[in-house]
Amino acid sequence: MQTLFTMLDDAKKQSNAPLAVRMRPVTLDEYVGQEQAVGPGSWLRSAIERDTLSSLILYGPAGTGKTTLARIIAHATRAEFVEVSAVTGTVKDLRREIEAAEQRLLIHDRKTILFIDEIHRFNRGQQDALLHAVEDRIVIMIGATTENPYFEVNQALISRSRVIELTALDDSDISKILDRALVSRDGLNNNYQLEDEARDLICLLAGGDARAALTTLELASSLAQESGSGIITKQDVQDAVPSRIQHYDKQGDNHYDIVSAFIKSMRGSDPDAAVYWLARMLDGGEDPKFIARRIFILASEDIGNADPQALLVAEAAFKATEVIGLPECRINLAQACIYMALAPKSNASYMALNKAQEDIKTQHNREVPSYLRDRHRPGSNTYGAYLYPHDYPGAWVEQRYLPEGLEPGCFYTPSDRGWEMYRSEYAKRTENGILRFGNAADASKNAKNE
């Protein structure tokens, strides 16, 4: 219950709070960005305005307004706002808050919004402790997480909630937040001006994180105050935040997204994109051996025999990473990833193996032709005659190697690129079994006609 003394205490705390806390919006009209999630006509906005909200899981990067949105919902719906941290909270804490919420609902007919920050850090037992209260609407749970909830949160809890994804704010959103902070009485109260170059730099450094932008503005304003100019310059911002902090969590979604972009850029033959995502991983502190392993795998999966040399380059990069280490091995990784991006591509070997393994799983075991069997056993003299290829011109002889029921080409379909194209053409035989060595143009033409 609020009293005069608690109100005075809250006001004092607010005045001493960081700028990012003082500028936290209290209404939807003050909330900047996330139009797709909470803009006019959205499900969430309608549910808030009609007071028909069900439990939510807010999922998005840091600084996108998850906690702020939860507080706005509590204020708009006149519900009691209770916050539990998944880092320090226990099952006992949850049960205590659920019991209090039940009493609040029965005695005062007042709803409780239970906000759980970093809900993905709760273990299965802690998450299960919420199920009954969420299902019976004893509490309206709002969980916040930077991790993909479909991987990190119990399916039973997700099925009782609605997942709302928040995205990084764009520069125009960050700029609006800065403008509001500059003029607000709770902010900088018109005591400072922000140069355009300083504004642009804050937006760049923030990387879509409103909290980071306001923190930078506050630090830069302190430097401007020391100079007595009242003007926040680009230099003030640079002095406040010497380098940009990249969002990269080696265990989180951002990690997997960047790794995925790195692999797909090499596969898509874009060297600029490949080296950019490589730089992002290195800047984020990724293990260089992890990166080298991804390159190693791609060399066979996506390049294969279109350029057999790619596997050797990948192996050399991995060995260099082991022997040299950072920072120098980044050069080896850059060479390897650009080589992979420029190399001709073929997944024929990878797909051939997949098809063969699928046949093994779904069909009866196929017998090895007798003439291909090991002859170091009694009765092998009854086996058919094996034709030794080196005894024949071109080291090739017509002979069936596949088991019965399978025909040539059932698994391996060569590409028409690089070394694989040439060797596929060379493997064609004349009527007398001699290798036919055609030129590149013939090889390309024949490959397309197959």
Side-chain angles (χ1 to χ4, degrees):
M1 178 177 169
Q2 281 282 73
T3 67
L4 176 61
F5 297 105
T6 58
M7 290 173 65
L8 289 172
D9 288 343
D10 289 345
K12 191 171 184 179
K13 289 178 183 178
Q14 179 73 1
S15 65
N16 287 283
L19 181 62
V21 174
R22 302 200 309 269
M23 294 310 303
R24 179 168 279 159
V26 295
T27 68
L28 284 175
D29 292 334
E30 295 175 352
Y31 192 73
V32 176
Q34 311 303 344
E35 292 295 316
Q36 80 289 349
V38 74
S42 66
W43 169 84
L44 181 54
R45 193 181 191 100
S46 298
I48 294 169
E49 291 172 346
R50 296 173 184 173
D51 198 9
T52 58
L53 191 70
S54 58
S55 290
L56 302 172
I57 296 176
L58 303 177
Y59 157 49
T64 51
K66 298 185 291 293
T67 303
T68 296
L69 185 55
R71 291 179 180 274
I72 288 173
I73 291 170
H75 183 266
T77 58
R78 300 186 181 279
E80 184 77 12
F81 184 83
V82 177
E83 186 170 355
V84 174
S85 171
V87 177
T88 58
T90 63
V91 171
K92 184 178 179 180
D93 295 328
L94 286 175
R95 287 174 178 164
R96 183 182 63 249
E97 295 298 347
I98 290 170
E99 288 173 6
E102 189 169 16
Q103 291 301 310
R104 199 176 291 121
L105 186 64
L106 294 174
I107 298 173
H108 303 290
D109 194 26
R110 189 177 185 190
K111 297 177 183 177
T112 299
I113 287 181
L114 178 62
F115 179 70
I116 305 174
D117 197 17
E118 298 189 83
I119 191 171
H120 62 277
R121 292 182 181 270
F122 267 164
N123 60 36
R124 182 171 294 275
Q126 289 169 310
Q127 291 184 28
D128 286 344
L130 290 164
L131 292 177
H132 174 70
V134 169
E135 189 168 27
D136 293 345
R137 290 215 179 169
I138 294 170
V139 297
I140 298 172
M141 182 203 71
I142 300 181
T145 177
T146 55
E147 307 295 331
N148 192 326
Y150 294 103
F151 296 136
E152 303 296 338
V153 178
N154 288 0
Q155 188 59 45
L157 197 55
I158 287 179
S159 69
R160 292 162 172 81
S161 311
R162 181 146 182 170
V163 176
I164 303 291
E165 184 172 0
L166 305 184
T167 57
L169 301 175
D170 60 30
D171 287 354
S172 64
D173 292 331
I174 296 293
S175 189
K176 289 177 186 176
I177 292 170
L178 294 175
D179 285 336
R180 182 168 169 264
L182 286 166
V183 302
S184 172
R185 291 180 61 187
D186 292 326
L188 301 183
N189 197 25
N190 281 315
N191 290 323
Y192 300 92
Q193 295 179 26
L194 183 64
E195 287 186 347
D196 289 342
E197 286 188 341
R199 178 190 299 273
D200 293 342
L201 184 55
I202 291 175
C203 291
L204 174 65
L205 293 172
D209 185 330
R211 187 185 301 109
L214 290 170
T215 300
T216 302
L217 179 65
E218 185 174 24
L219 293 172
S221 69
S222 299
L223 296 174
Q225 185 180 36
E226 290 177 7
S227 67
S229 66
I231 298 174
I232 301 172
T233 66
K234 181 180 179 181
Q235 188 61 51
D236 292 329
V237 175
Q238 288 176 332
D239 291 343
V241 185
S243 62
R244 183 179 183 182
I245 299 174
Q246 294 285 357
H247 294 287
Y248 190 83
D249 179 355
K250 287 191 283 184
Q251 302 300 322
D253 283 342
N254 190 248
H255 157 80
Y256 292 109
D257 288 343
I258 290 178
V259 171
S260 177
F262 174 61
I263 293 169
K264 288 170 182 172
S265 297
M266 290 188 291
R267 181 184 295 145
S269 302
D270 189 330
D272 292 303
V275 80
Y276 172 77
W277 296 120
L278 170 65
R280 282 286 297 272
M281 288 189 288
L282 291 171
D283 189 66
E286 185 59 79
D287 180 358
K289 287 190 287 187
F290 171 84
I291 300 172
R293 284 194 292 270
R294 298 304 100 191
I295 295 173
F296 217 155
I297 294 167
L298 179 129
S300 287
E301 181 179 348
D302 292 297
I303 297 172
N305 289 322
D307 183 358
Q309 188 75 14
L311 188 62
L312 303 181
V313 172
E315 180 188 25
F318 185 82
K319 187 65 177 177
T321 300
E322 283 189 316
V323 173
I324 299 171
L326 288 173
E328 288 84 358
C329 77
R330 67 191 180 92
I331 305 169
N332 308 113
L333 292 172
Q335 179 187 352
C337 92
I338 290 175
Y339 186 99
M340 301 304 150
L342 295 176
K345 304 298 187 296
S346 172
N347 68 347
S349 300
Y350 170 64
M351 295 304 295
L353 179 61
N354 286 347
K355 291 176 184 177
Q357 289 182 320
E358 181 63 22
D359 182 85
I360 291 167
K361 290 177 182 177
T362 59
Q363 304 299 322
H364 295 297
N365 287 339
R366 302 180 190 274
E367 294 294 327
V368 178
S370 66
Y371 49 89
L372 297 181
R373 295 176 186 172
D374 176 58
R375 293 182 180 269
H376 297 87
R377 62 163 65 96
S380 61
N381 59 325
T382 63
Y383 293 169
Y386 169 61
L387 305 179
Y388 187 56
H390 293 287
D391 290 340
Y392 296 86
W396 181 88
V397 62
E398 183 73 40
Q399 185 167 227
R400 183 180 181 87
Y401 297 96
L402 283 166
E404 291 297 330
L406 296 174
E407 298 302 325
C410 57
F411 301 131
Y412 174 62
T413 304
S415 72
D416 58 355
R417 293 175 292 280
W419 185 88
E420 193 167 39
M421 173 187 72
Y422 289 102
R423 297 311 303 169
S424 298
E425 173 61 21
Y426 294 166
K428 295 182 184 298
R429 313 295 172 174
T430 58
E431 290 182 357
N432 60 5
I434 304 299
L435 284 170
R436 183 181 70 200
F437 292 90
N439 59 37
D442 292 337
S444 177
K445 180 179 177 182
N446 289 330
K448 290 179 181 176
N449 289 334
E450 291 179 348

